[in-house]
Amino acid sequence: MPKSFFEPVDMSKRSSENQETAHFLRRRQVLQGLVAAALPLSTSLSSPSFAAEKKNSLVVGGLPVTCNMTLPVSCVAKAASNNVAKAGAPRFEYEYSKYNGWPEIKESLMAGRIQAAYMLAPMVMDLANSKIPVKIVSLGHRSGAVIMVRTDSPYKDFKQLAGKRIAIPSRFAVDYLFLRKMLAREGMTPKDIQLVEMPPPDMPAALYAKAVDAYCTGEPFGASAQRAGYARPLRMTRDEWRNYICCVLTVREELIKENRPMVQDLVNLVQSAGVWLDQKQINRDKAVAIAAGRKYFNQDPNILKFVMENPTDRVTYGDLRMIRAEFDDLMQLSIEAGTIKKPVAYETYIDESFVRNLKPASILI
């Protein structure tokens, strides 16, 4: 695992930035004594390939989460359409590069080692505000986050989680904002619990070992524990936050300037893949078979299938519109959480032109 996953949180630095973050525990502390039990999901990291890209070939970073499902579908659909394209037609190629943590994908995008990635929306806002030349060009999904507790736990509401340890992927994760919304409904704040930053693949094992009392993350890391029988959802975004957005397709501005047709083609594919995924269950089954492969998520297809069926709107993809009011709401929540210091102009981090010029792409799978 990357070194950053095992470094303890620097409490002194964080407390000066935001009083709430002083309540984050050291990850090393939390994982002490964690059982070395085999997870139902593969947690191995594959090192991204940063070979020089051809003009019409693009590496797109993503995490092995179902919120990113439109990405492997788009990669495979494009390869299929290239095989039947007429001679002389543009032949763009997209390669998925798997990461297991947001810090690493953020660093790769900042450094220009990759030109495109699925990113956390608040993280992109913060990067753009810090003069990193990136733009959100499409949503990647809707809903898909859960708050999980042990099946044998007594927890029914958040009042019972006072003082308990709850894992989140990152301070910038919209999962964290979801948790804050649920706490606020019961008159609580993050000060009433102990927050732990942890990569999502580690969360099911941490809950199993009772190293944490609950965790909030995107799928399939909730479904993996639920299907195994030792965890149950306490809350789901499908029930509590219907217009939830988290992972967004983000590209560097130089890619937009240098190869606008490629960016447009990728947005066409992602948006069309979303519609295709929500059209019928057989399409979702095909997507599961693709994403589960070693080239993509490298996960148990039965767990991905569980996400797609229990219930069928646990994660949705058909409505990938970028709505200013929803991003404004997300920003306000991030400001309240202290992860963004001040409002960021919508045009600073969003480029709507590709969605406005959308042309449906064929998903030949």
Side-chain angles (χ1 to χ4, degrees):
M1 298 287 281
K3 181 180 178 183
S4 59
F5 284 164
F6 291 92
E7 289 177 345
V9 176
D10 186 336
M11 306 299 283
S12 62
K13 289 182 180 178
R14 290 237 172 128
S15 60
S16 63
E17 294 176 354
N18 186 335
Q19 201 170 23
E20 285 182 4
T21 58
H23 295 266
F24 283 76
L25 297 182
R26 294 174 182 269
R27 184 174 177 275
R28 186 191 300 274
Q29 248 182 295
V30 173
L31 292 182
Q32 283 177 346
L34 185 62
V35 292
L39 276 173
L41 287 172
S42 169
T43 59
S44 61
L45 266 176
S46 61
S47 299
S49 170
F50 299 123
E53 296 172 2
K54 296 178 292 183
K55 178 176 174 56
N56 288 334
S57 178
L58 180 68
V59 173
V60 186
L63 266 62
V65 293
T66 47
C67 296
N68 287 193
M69 185 72 82
T70 46
L71 180 51
V73 169
S74 295
C75 292
V76 172
K78 189 59 185 178
S81 66
N82 283 342
N83 290 335
V84 298
K86 296 179 180 179
R91 296 173 63 88
F92 299 117
E93 298 176 0
Y94 306 112
E95 176 187 345
Y96 171 83
S97 185
K98 187 176 81 168
Y99 293 76
N100 269 24
W102 295 114
E104 290 68 36
I105 202 167
K106 171 186 173 182
E107 290 165 9
S108 290
L109 194 65
M110 287 175 64
R113 292 194 294 268
I114 55 176
Q115 297 290 306
Y118 274 42
M119 289 277 288
L120 297 169
M123 189 176 282
V124 182
M125 295 174 185
D126 186 62
L127 289 177
N129 191 49
S130 300
K131 308 303 182 184
I132 305 299
V134 292
K135 295 284 189 183
I136 296 170
V137 293
S138 175
L139 300 190
H141 72 106
R142 291 280 187 174
S143 197
V146 290
I147 300 171
M148 305 296 295
V149 296
R150 287 181 62 90
T151 304
D152 58 6
S153 73
Y155 309 131
K156 300 294 184 183
D157 57 53
F158 284 87
K159 289 289 187 184
Q160 295 171 288
L161 288 171
K164 304 300 183 183
R165 292 167 294 187
I166 303 180
I168 60 170
S170 163
R171 294 182 303 130
F172 287 95
V174 187
D175 313 303
Y176 175 40
L177 302 183
F178 175 41
L179 175 61
R180 287 175 59 90
K181 283 174 74 80
M182 296 300 97
L183 290 171
R185 287 186 185 179
E186 299 194 42
M188 299 173 68
T189 75
K191 294 179 182 180
D192 296 314
I193 58 175
Q194 299 179 64
L195 286 169
V196 186
E197 286 185 288
M198 182 181 295
D202 291 349
M203 292 181 182
L207 185 70
Y208 182 82
K210 299 184 179 180
V212 297
D213 301 289
Y215 63 86
C216 182
T217 193
E219 295 292 6
F221 301 108
S224 66
Q226 183 181 356
R227 186 173 179 272
Y230 60 85
R232 59 180 170 82
L234 181 63
R235 296 288 187 275
M236 305 173 74
T237 51
R238 68 176 290 273
D239 301 316
E240 309 292 346
W241 192 357
R242 293 296 292 183
N243 62 345
Y244 174 94
I245 54 176
C246 179
C247 298
V248 291
L249 176 59
T250 307
V251 300
R252 289 184 62 91
E253 288 186 25
E254 54 261 40
L255 180 64
I256 293 175
K257 294 174 182 175
E258 295 168 5
N259 203 336
R260 175 171 282 273
M262 172 181 276
V263 179
Q264 184 66 63
D265 183 71
L266 181 57
V267 171
N268 293 346
L269 278 163
V270 167
Q271 294 263 334
S272 299
V275 172
W276 178 84
L277 274 160
D278 279 5
Q279 277 178 341
K280 48 190 176 181
Q281 186 60 40
I282 191 172
N283 292 350
R284 289 189 162 214
D285 293 341
K286 291 178 181 179
V288 164
I290 291 167
R294 293 180 62 85
K295 189 176 180 181
Y296 296 104
F297 295 176
N298 193 25
Q299 292 171 346
D300 182 348
N302 293 313
I303 293 173
L304 296 179
K305 187 174 175 63
F306 186 92
V307 175
M308 294 293 160
E309 295 179 351
N310 294 276
T312 54
D313 62 348
R314 193 167 182 143
V315 189
T316 60
Y317 308 92
D319 179 11
L320 300 183
R321 293 172 298 159
M322 296 196 296
I323 300 173
R324 182 188 292 254
E326 293 178 356
F327 279 99
D328 288 346
D329 180 50
L330 198 59
M331 178 171 298
Q332 184 57 42
L333 290 169
S334 298
I335 291 172
E336 292 170 4
T339 50
I340 294 178
K341 303 306 178 186
K342 60 182 180 179
V344 183
Y346 183 73
E347 291 76 15
T348 302
Y349 63 91
I350 293 280
D351 186 335
E352 291 183 335
S353 64
F354 299 99
V355 172
R356 286 199 302 266
N357 294 317
L358 185 70
K359 294 182 180 179
S362 298
I363 307 299
L364 304 174
I365 297 175

